[in-house]
Amino acid sequence: MLFKYQKFISAIPNCPPTNYYSATIKAYRFVFGDRNPNNFLPASMINPKRNFPDPSGQCLGYALSLFDSLENAQNRYRDMVKGRPTLRKKLGSHIAEGVIEETDGIISEVNSAGHFSLHEFEGTNLQQKFEIVLEV
Amino acid sequence: MEAIEGIRLENFWLTDLRRVADLIYYDGPILSHFKNNQGDDYLYCWSDADEIYNRWLIFRVSRQSLNKYLTRQLSLRELMLNSADRFLHCIDIDDRFQYHHPCLVFPTNLPAIYLPEPDSYYNFEPIVFDFEAVKEQPLPQLYTQLAA
């Protein structure tokens, strides 16, 4: 199985990390409400890239951030925007909900803030699987 | 992006920083902890973007202040307004990671929209990249818990 951004991650050591795994999990993500084409693009596929050029950052730059519950997504959005009001224009204006299935890619462990990362498999189209559930 | 009232620099000074951890992360770093070769701690704080650049505010923090931030005793706003050097670096980074428009900014001259809110306390989990740095010089307990 190839990853969606295989040609970019092939040269990055340990990418995706070996502790990522397949799972079926309900997931939440910040999006713009107008079906913005960037809604489901990782940071390294959006110019200008918001990243740093070391290997760890390069690999994560091809993964999508998700949350494991609507509550965690709302709380983290609130906390991030408190830190930088300008982040609204990067994060989006809505929260979308969908189910990540084992055939969509591999995920990191969910951390204590409810965040996890997804490296998508080739052919995955989350735009079709997620629906907006809340304006933030 | 917002106009910055600062002291323009010929070059960006902080060329020996290495990333230790992303303290806040969503699709990429939003607040990152770096160290220099002398062990000083710096924060890279994403602040703005346009079609060409991401703008970062970079400032030195004392270890004590960093610990207090990570344990919710200090807010990000307090860290930023009381940076160890009394100024912040402002830098615009392009798509090829080239640094542009380096300048020094005093906290009181920051655009209001770049200032975190008063209750901007830490409520995340860091992604630690450089556990060697943790060993070299003890870092916040929060990091070492993750390394265990």
Side-chain angles (χ1 to χ4, degrees):
Chain A
M1 185 78 82
L2 291 176
F3 290 97
K4 193 170 191 174
Y5 305 106
Q6 188 70 53
K7 68 177 179 180
F8 301 105
I9 66 175
S10 290
I12 304 171
N14 191 31
C15 187
T18 51
N19 60 349
Y20 277 47
Y21 60 98
S22 294
T24 297
I25 182 172
K26 190 178 273 191
Y28 298 83
R29 178 170 168 80
F30 308 138
V31 297
F32 292 92
D34 55 358
R35 295 186 73 81
N36 186 305
N38 290 346
N39 276 348
F40 292 92
L41 282 181
S44 288
M45 297 302 293
I46 300 172
N47 293 334
K49 298 177 179 68
R50 177 170 50 86
N51 214 330
F52 299 113
D54 51 62
S56 302
Q58 288 291 291
C59 185
L60 267 174
Y62 292 101
L64 290 175
S65 281
L66 297 158
F67 292 96
D68 67 342
S69 72
L70 180 60
E71 183 183 11
N72 276 332
Q74 281 181 278
N75 289 341
R76 297 296 88 73
Y77 187 93
R78 181 199 62 214
D79 294 336
M80 281 190 258
V81 169
K82 269 184 194 171
R84 268 150 310 280
T86 44
L87 258 179
R88 287 181 188 279
K89 67 181 179 184
K90 275 285 182 186
L91 296 181
S93 52
H94 294 72
I95 295 174
E97 176 190 274
V99 176
I100 302 297
E101 295 171 290
E102 293 183 356
T103 52
D104 289 328
I106 55 175
I107 65 171
S108 66
E109 292 286 351
V110 179
N111 74 14
S112 59
H115 173 274
F116 62 100
S117 295
L118 167 73
H119 277 281
E120 296 166 88
F121 289 138
E122 190 177 48
T124 298
N125 185 346
L126 297 187
Q127 185 89 51
Q128 292 178 346
K129 302 186 71 169
F130 275 63
E131 289 191 1
I132 287 172
V133 292
L134 189 72
E135 182 172 357
V136 284
Chain B
M1 288 195 285
E2 297 289 315
I4 293 290
E5 187 183 332
I7 301 165
R8 297 297 296 269
L9 299 176
E10 190 74 21
N11 299 107
F12 181 58
W13 294 347
L14 307 172
T15 54
D16 66 339
L17 300 185
R18 60 176 172 156
R19 183 160 51 151
V20 178
D22 286 341
L23 303 183
I24 303 177
Y25 184 93
Y26 183 83
D27 275 359
I30 293 171
L31 180 70
S32 295
H33 173 203
F34 283 70
K35 285 177 68 170
N36 68 9
N37 292 336
Q38 286 72 49
D40 297 320
D41 298 300
Y42 287 84
L43 294 181
Y44 262 65
C45 183
W46 181 91
S47 295
D48 207 350
D50 61 15
E51 294 76 19
I52 301 172
Y53 304 112
N54 279 294
R55 174 167 289 167
W56 296 83
L57 294 172
I58 302 154
F59 53 99
R60 188 165 67 89
V61 292
S62 68
R63 178 57 52 82
Q64 185 183 28
S65 295
L66 181 58
N67 272 313
K68 284 187 172 180
Y69 172 61
L70 291 171
T71 52
R72 299 174 54 82
Q73 298 171 69
L74 276 179
S75 68
L76 183 58
R77 181 187 178 95
E78 290 170 303
L79 275 190
M80 198 177 275
L81 290 175
N82 300 288
S83 74
D85 294 320
R86 302 296 175 208
F87 58 75
L88 302 89
H89 294 259
C90 180
I91 195 83
D92 294 335
I93 303 180
D94 70 17
D95 213 34
R96 293 180 298 169
F97 305 110
Q98 300 298 307
Y99 285 33
H100 301 266
H101 318 132
C103 68
L104 302 181
V105 190
F106 294 105
T108 48
N109 290 339
L110 281 173
I113 200 167
Y114 287 2
L115 275 180
E117 292 182 16
D119 60 344
S120 49
Y121 293 100
Y122 190 66
N123 203 13
F124 302 89
E125 181 177 314
I127 300 172
V128 182
F129 297 110
D130 190 351
F131 283 108
E132 289 304 311
V134 180
K135 291 174 190 164
E136 287 167 16
Q137 186 176 7
L139 286 176
Q141 193 179 6
L142 190 59
Y143 289 16
T144 50
Q145 285 169 353
L146 291 169

